[in-house]
Amino acid sequence: AQSVTQLDSHVSVSEGTPVLLRCNYSSSYSPSLFWYVQHPNKGLQLLLKYTSAATLVKGINGFEAEFKKSETSFHLTKPSAHMSDAAEYFCVVPRGRNQFYFGTGTSLTVIP
Amino acid sequence: DGGITQSPKYLFRKEGQNVTLSCEQNLNHDAMYWYRQDPGQGLRLIYYSQIVNDFQKGDIAEGYSVSREKKESFPLTVTSAQKNPTAFYLCASSIDTLWNTEAFFGQGTRLTVV
């Protein structure tokens, strides 16, 4: 069965420093993978998605993620954090027709 | 603009009452979902529907009911049987059939039992 594990429940970075949010997946084949962002009391917004076309995926707001099959990872990165990046981030994998498996989320704090 | 609209944004309910959360989409998506979000627990699937007049239980369906009479609408009723209904509820939709299509989310409804 497909699943994801977000390795950090909370990450703190200083403004202007790199961001790394880690996600490992479990799947018997190369899955589709998504990263979503959620700001407080808001819905989830798609940051980027991997669908096997390219291993390095660029998303919105300067985020990108690299699919590494050998490591079963799909970590989210950004070169320079901005205050507006403070939010909850979810790694997601489809787990069947019309169903999704959500990681438990990583809360990102950006320190001025 | 296409999207998903949830209403109301905040909802208060007395214990023992049923309450219905609205979810409407104009994306022409076949599949719709209801998730519950609690602090530190991520999202848990309550119900989903792949097509009009059809829906399936998710992981935590007890105490909830849904209907799918129209493609655009997927209301969720939180019944008095739900023991701990206070939570943030998210509705989503996706295009059917393809595994690499993402879900689109509404802005959520925060339900508080008083």
Side-chain angles (χ1 to χ4, degrees), chain A residues 9-107:
Chain A
S9 60
H10 189 88
V11 170
S12 292
V13 300
S14 296
E15 188 176 18
T17 64
V19 176
L20 170 63
L21 306 182
R22 299 183 293 166
C23 173
N24 285 355
Y25 70 89
S26 173
S27 177
S28 56
Y29 56 91
S30 292
S32 299
L33 287 159
F34 310 101
W35 274 102
Y36 283 83
V37 61
Q38 183 183 32
H39 289 92
N41 294 311
K42 299 289 187 183
L44 277 68
Q45 179 186 18
L46 182 70
L47 273 177
L48 50 81
K49 66 177 181 180
Y50 166 76
T51 58
S52 77
T55 56
L56 183 62
V57 182
K58 294 187 183 298
I60 61 172
N61 301 334
F63 284 94
E64 63 181 38
E66 186 171 7
F67 177 78
K68 292 187 176 180
K69 187 174 181 178
S70 60
E71 299 176 9
T72 61
S73 69
F74 189 57
H75 300 336
L76 182 70
T77 60
K78 183 173 181 178
S80 177
H82 191 273
M83 294 299 294
S84 61
D85 295 327
E88 190 88 12
Y89 292 81
F90 293 94
C91 183
V92 181
V93 64
R95 69 171 189 179
R97 187 181 179 191
N98 298 134
Q99 294 193 53
F100 300 89
Y101 186 98
F102 288 81
T104 52
T106 298
S107 177

Side-chain angles (χ1 to χ4, degrees), chain A residues 2 29 32 34 36 38 41-46 49-51 88 90 94-100 102-105, chain B residues 9-10 31 33 35 37 42-43 45 48 50 59 88 90 94-97 99-107 110:
Chain A
Q2 285 70 249
Y29 56 91
S32 299
F34 310 101
Y36 283 83
Q38 183 183 32
N41 294 311
K42 299 289 187 183
L44 277 68
Q45 179 186 18
L46 182 70
K49 66 177 181 180
Y50 166 76
T51 58
E88 190 88 12
F90 293 94
R95 69 171 189 179
R97 187 181 179 191
N98 298 134
Q99 294 193 53
F100 300 89
F102 288 81
T104 52
Chain B
K9 187 174 177 64
Y10 298 96
Y33 316 80
Y35 291 92
Q37 186 176 27
L43 277 69
L45 181 64
Y48 68 100
Q50 295 182 353
D59 301 315
F88 191 52
L90 287 161
S94 69
I95 297 173
D96 193 15
T97 72
W99 284 48
N100 62 355
T101 56
E102 66 272 27
F104 293 79
F105 285 83
Q107 293 299 294
R110 184 165 296 282

Side-chain angles (χ1 to χ4, degrees), chain B residues 5 13-14 17 22 26 30 41 62 68-69 76 79 83 93 96 98-99 109-110 112 114:
Chain B
T5 301
R13 190 197 87 176
K14 293 182 179 179
Q17 287 182 338
S22 171
N26 59 5
D30 284 315
Q41 295 194 42
E62 184 176 354
R68 188 84 186 276
E69 298 177 359
L76 173 74
T79 75
K83 296 179 180 179
S93 70
D96 193 15
L98 299 177
W99 284 48
T109 293
R110 184 165 296 282
T112 303
V114 297

Side-chain angles (χ1 to χ4, degrees), chain B residues 43-72:
Chain B
L43 277 69
R44 293 183 289 170
L45 181 64
I46 304 172
Y47 269 97
Y48 68 100
S49 168
Q50 295 182 353
I51 199 168
V52 175
N53 293 322
D54 179 71
F55 48 83
Q56 306 294 329
K57 291 182 179 180
D59 301 315
I60 55 165
E62 184 176 354
Y64 299 97
S65 66
V66 293
S67 63
R68 188 84 186 276
E69 298 177 359
K70 298 187 298 182
K71 188 175 186 178
E72 303 79 21

